[in-house]
Amino acid sequence: MKRKPFASAALAVGILSLFAFGALWRIDAGGVRSFLRESALDLQLPYSREDASPPIVVVDIDSETLHRYGPWPWSRVLLARIIAALAEEKPNVVGLDILLEGKDRLSPASVARMLAAETGRVDLATIARQLTDGDAELGRALGRTQGVLGAVLAQQAAAYQAPAPILVRGAPQLPDIWGAEATIGPTAGLAEVAAGIGLIVFENDADGVARRTPLLALAGGALIAGFAVETVRVSREASALIIEDAPAHLRIGDRIAPLGPDATLRFRASPPDVWERRTISAAHVLDRHFDATMIKNSIVLIGSSAPEAGIFRRTAKAEAAPTVQIEADAIATLMSDEIPTRPYILAEIEVVGAILLGLLSVGAGSRLRPVRGFFVVGGLLAAWIVVAALTLRWRNLLLDPAGPPALAALIFILSALTSAVEIDRRERRLRDRFEQHLAPAVVARILSNPRAVRLEGETREVTAMFTDIEGSTAMTERAQPRDLIALLDAYFQMLVDVIVDHGGMVDKIVGDAIHALFNAPLDLPDHPQRAVECALALSEACAAFRERPLARALGLGQTRIGVETGLAIVGDVGGKRKLDYTAHGTAINTAARLEAANKELGTTICIGPVAAARLAPGTVRSVGKLMVRGRSETLEVFEPIRQ
């Protein structure tokens, strides 16, 4: 029975692998899918252009500043001096990536008040009212510009009142939005003068990389905006934030940010060389030695890159990025028209794509040679990666460029390895079947395309040839065993060489007879003509062989040959221990009968009517009609006309 393609081991392994690995990939077992996706997107996702409008400037409280103006934490008097110096240059917004929790404890007035409270001295309380108060100074500085302050999520604290309301239209679904019981923010006095307050929080992904900052979060059931959102809102002079659905998005003045399930922003991280171009040392601001043109109409962020004062996160472009630079990246992303987003539909597209790529990989791995399959599958995977890159470039959609190709590549490898083992086993079987019966070139053709040979059985037209030695029984009785074997070895080697040279296949050797097939196992054009030419060559070679001394001594008789053409069933026949590629059919039986009929007809080559009809005119002549055993009608038989 012919084996169906889908029953092959490689195909079965591929399908099972697709189901198994597909299920693991779908549930993101071990976070592998997320890691591959995010790592690949890191490579594809460029940072936002530096020509943002308004431009973004970072004032860095760096190690040099701390060395010159004292260690961290600072009195808020110094922060007030920085903001006051910036306010003189008319920035668009000034944002502090610093949590101003509680009252200032380091300004002169604060120190005097604490001493008065501890000692009970009224004069110290009076003096405190005359000294510089950090919170008051900072409040006055913030009042001279549009300031945005930072807050964080917490489990126990009093929530502040957001400066701007957040309006909701429709029923947007944000099932994975970040949240906590409350927030920690600036004091009430500072909150009153601030133009905006936003969350300065980040959460690393499972691989330790910070890629997202919240657009919105929940604190005690109330919606809170992220720091970057509030900074952009103040910059765009929007009095409120508006959440809309279909699809869910956040309107920030004239800017629109898509809202995914977790209401976060996948910011475009920038490398350190970008930080250098947009950063001014806080020491230079305090000294009033800085380029004032950088500040005018800019979004200015104040933060720290000093290890003792700043907070660092690993990003897609840097191993240790100060959070103030990350906030700058988030703001630049929001201000651009290139906000990356990942809507729900992308996950379904990736599933469908993974299944299709997996199925194609199974087909390539099980049906193609490894090298050819590698290029086919490689082309498919490259096409997916290119589509993902173009989707990001043209639509800012975060289609996974790595997960589906990685799944398909793994499935292809398993299918290809199984197929290679199967092909190797099949080639060994074919080599065992045919290397003793066919020309090396024919065996090479079979091994290059094993499926061309249907070992399980097929019906094909063949030309069968039978040979036999006249008087072999008497020769066997009078010959010594050693001499007989030596003679037959040389005789059969000669016959096999002639048959193979003419494109035939030696099916079997039985006693002193050979059974050969033409047009099996591969197609042989003009196989009746090739078989008759082979018979003539065999007759001449045998006549010459009979003149050898050993052949004359043993009385080797002439070789009789029968040839006929017809349909036959060819394939492997036998049990588990012994398989034999052979042919069965009327033409096979007729060729055997024609070989025996040579004795009756006085010929050495007897050709059946079907084979004779396929030969060139004038190459055979009739030698009469013959009743062949097993056939109901008489057959006209022929012999070749020797030139």
Side-chain angles (χ1 to χ4, degrees), residues 56-62 65 72 74 76 78-87 91 93-100 138 141-142 145-150 200 227 231 278-283 285-286 295 299-305 309-310 322-325 327-328 331:
I56 300 170
V57 177
V58 172
V59 174
D60 184 11
I61 303 174
D62 52 16
T65 304
W72 193 264
W74 271 0
R76 291 174 187 171
L78 284 175
L79 291 177
R81 285 178 55 189
I82 293 175
I83 294 174
L86 295 171
V93 180
V94 175
L96 272 73
D97 180 45
I98 299 170
L99 178 62
L100 302 174
L138 184 57
L142 287 171
T145 186
Q146 295 193 103
V148 177
L149 303 180
I200 49 174
F227 182 82
T231 303
R278 68 187 180 197
T279 299
I280 300 173
S281 173
V285 176
L286 289 168
I295 304 301
I299 294 176
V300 181
L301 303 181
I302 301 173
S304 179
S305 67
T323 56
V324 66
Q325 297 290 354
E327 293 289 6
I331 293 168

Side-chain angles (χ1 to χ4, degrees), residues 8-22 358-359 361-363 365-366 407 410-416 418-419:
S8 70
L11 195 59
V13 168
I15 295 296
L16 291 175
S17 301
L18 178 59
F19 277 106
F21 290 113
L359 289 174
S361 297
V362 169
S366 60
L407 178 66
L410 180 59
I411 291 171
F412 168 73
I413 290 172
L414 291 175
S415 299
T418 306
S419 180

Side-chain angles (χ1 to χ4, degrees), residues 138-364:
L138 184 57
R140 281 191 288 271
L142 287 171
R144 297 172 58 186
T145 186
Q146 295 193 103
V148 177
L149 303 180
V152 296
L153 294 171
Q155 296 304 319
Q156 292 182 349
Y160 58 82
Q161 182 65 40
I166 300 177
L167 307 178
V168 180
R169 295 175 180 170
Q173 300 298 312
L174 305 173
D176 301 323
I177 189 170
W178 295 8
E181 294 299 322
T183 56
I184 298 175
T187 62
L190 293 176
E192 288 177 1
V193 296
I197 301 175
L199 295 172
I200 49 174
V201 293
F202 299 91
E203 182 173 314
N204 292 349
D205 288 349
D207 59 355
V209 178
R211 299 182 176 93
R212 295 167 183 80
T213 184
L215 294 169
L216 299 169
L218 283 174
L223 284 170
I224 307 296
F227 182 82
V229 170
E230 275 292 272
T231 303
V232 173
R233 180 190 65 79
V234 173
S235 173
R236 312 310 286 188
E237 299 180 347
S239 59
L241 297 171
I242 302 173
I243 302 174
E244 300 173 320
D245 61 1
H249 60 274
L250 177 65
R251 188 177 294 276
I252 315 170
D254 60 347
R255 313 304 298 174
I256 293 178
L259 286 174
D262 56 2
T264 62
L265 171 71
R266 171 71 182 255
F267 59 85
R268 295 174 177 266
S270 61
D273 61 300
V274 173
W275 308 345
E276 295 177 6
R277 292 193 290 270
R278 68 187 180 197
T279 299
I280 300 173
S281 173
H284 298 164
V285 176
L286 289 168
D287 294 344
R288 303 297 179 100
H289 294 305
F290 62 94
D291 184 0
T293 60
M294 290 182 64
I295 304 301
K296 187 176 180 61
N297 296 323
S298 297
I299 294 176
V300 181
L301 303 181
I302 301 173
S304 179
S305 67
E308 59 268 42
I311 299 175
F312 296 83
R313 302 278 185 173
R314 179 185 169 197
T315 68
K317 303 297 182 182
E319 287 297 318
T323 56
V324 66
Q325 297 290 354
I326 297 177
E327 293 289 6
D329 289 338
I331 293 168
T333 303
L334 282 175
M335 297 290 286
S336 72
D337 294 322
E338 301 174 336
I339 301 176
T341 184
R342 185 172 167 76
Y344 290 107
I345 189 64
L346 287 188
E348 302 307 318
I349 291 175
E350 289 164 3
V351 171
V352 174
I355 292 173
L356 291 177
L357 287 176
L359 289 174
L360 292 172
S361 297
V362 169

